[in-house]
Amino acid sequence: DVHGGALPPGLVMAARQKEIGYLLSRKVYSYSTEAEALRLTRKKPIGLKWIDTNKGDRRAFNVRSRLVCTEMRRKGMEAIFSATPPLESLRALVARAASEDPDTRPAGRDAYKMILMDVSRAHFYADAVRDVFIKLPEEDPRSSVPGACGKLEKTMYGTLDAAERWGEHYASTLVSAGFVRGAASPCHFHHPSKDVWCLVHGDDFVVVARQEGRDHIEATLRAAYEIKVDVAGPDPEDPKELKVLGRIITFTPQGIQYEADPGHM
């Protein structure tokens, strides 16, 4: 495990094969040659590294493997910036969700609820805009071919511009669906007519909205990405707890409770 401790080899191999299958199905890279890499970039293909981790616990393993690029910023290369929202943004969304008293809400108006949408393998969606060549992983069927390598068609975890390119990709997806991008932070989004408030941190989309707005943003993201959705709200049938960016947000009869990241203790 990347965090320490042994993992069952069989589960690791299965997780790696699943990741390779996803890379090939998404056409993250095409095949090329080391000679072509040297001609275009004057550098040999970049190495790769497996990041294996247990997303479950020691009794119920849930092994996930990610293949990441090990691109390093060399002297003279301009730094690439990727924004993340300030923590106050999350508090502002919690305040928005808590801004209505359920007992005095007009009849027929549904409640604000908070949803967390997690995009799976986010960095494999944006198109590559640079010539980046990678060594083929051993699990690739062509890895044993002499002189063979891969050329990125999509961004990949570990490349210098992956986070920046992903940020522009999700922003264009949201803006095309009627969202306005924030001026204070490019990670803030608001849909004026559907009353949707959203912040994006990496591959996590945190949203406060009523039913119409929640349906709109979920449909927008589901059409473009593979997502997992969790929701919490004040209605009796709603789940009451949501873990967002390590913080625990709980809907209670007295209001919304915001608990700091327990890991920071």
Side-chain angles (χ1 to χ4, degrees):
D1 194 303
V2 68
H3 301 297
L7 294 174
L11 296 181
V12 173
M13 292 301 107
R16 290 185 177 186
Q17 287 297 334
K18 181 179 179 181
E19 179 78 350
I20 288 292
Y22 191 87
L23 286 164
L24 296 176
S25 67
R26 289 285 306 165
K27 297 181 174 149
V28 174
Y29 59 85
S30 57
Y31 294 108
S32 186
T33 63
E34 292 183 4
E36 183 72 359
L38 287 169
R39 186 181 71 82
L40 291 177
T41 67
R42 298 181 181 178
K43 296 190 291 285
K44 291 184 177 181
I46 300 168
L48 302 175
K49 181 180 180 181
W50 281 108
I51 303 295
D52 306 305
T53 187
N54 180 20
K55 305 295 284 187
D57 55 39
R58 304 306 298 180
R59 290 172 295 180
F61 284 95
N62 178 19
V63 178
R64 188 188 74 179
S65 294
R66 290 286 181 265
L67 189 61
V68 302
C69 194
T70 57
E71 187 176 20
M72 304 289 288
R73 185 162 73 92
R74 290 177 169 80
K75 186 176 181 180
M77 290 180 66
E78 185 176 349
I80 298 174
F81 173 75
S82 177
T84 54
L87 185 57
E88 287 77 12
S89 304
L90 178 58
R91 296 179 181 180
L93 288 191
V94 174
R96 166 65 59 175
S99 63
E100 286 185 328
D101 185 341
D103 297 328
T104 60
R105 189 169 65 236
R109 176 185 287 180
D110 61 300
Y112 279 126
K113 296 180 186 180
M114 181 170 279
I115 59 175
L116 172 66
M117 291 178 284
D118 175 26
V119 176
S120 177
R121 300 177 175 90
H123 288 187
F124 294 156
Y125 285 98
D127 292 334
V129 295
R130 299 180 298 128
D131 290 324
V132 179
F133 293 83
I134 60 170
K135 294 180 180 179
L136 293 177
E138 291 182 9
E139 292 80 3
D140 187 282
R142 296 199 198 178
S143 61
S144 59
V145 176
C149 69
K151 182 178 186 294
L152 291 187
E153 303 296 334
K154 302 288 185 181
T155 58
M156 189 175 185
Y157 289 92
T159 52
L160 295 177
D161 59 349
E164 180 197 43
R165 296 294 304 150
W166 162 241
E168 293 308 310
H169 195 281
Y170 72 66
S172 65
T173 299
L174 292 175
V175 169
S176 65
F179 285 82
V180 178
R181 199 172 190 180
S185 168
C187 305
H188 296 166
F189 295 87
H190 176 234
H191 198 299
S193 63
K194 297 189 181 294
D195 192 22
V196 185
W197 306 80
C198 173
L199 70 84
V200 187
H201 188 285
D203 54 12
D204 291 327
F205 292 70
V206 186
V207 177
V208 169
R210 304 186 198 280
Q211 187 67 55
E212 181 187 10
R214 297 195 302 274
D215 290 345
H216 178 68
I217 190 169
E218 182 176 340
T220 297
L221 294 179
R222 201 174 285 283
Y225 311 118
E226 181 183 333
I227 63 172
K228 182 180 73 173
V229 180
D230 293 306
V231 63
D235 294 337
E237 68 276 11
D238 293 331
K240 299 299 177 218
E241 188 174 286
L242 201 64
K243 190 169 185 179
V244 180
L245 307 180
R247 279 79 189 169
I248 300 172
I249 296 168
T250 309
F251 284 74
T252 76
Q254 292 75 37
I256 300 178
Q257 177 177 295
Y258 175 100
E259 182 181 344
D261 188 342
H264 289 169
M265 291 190 294

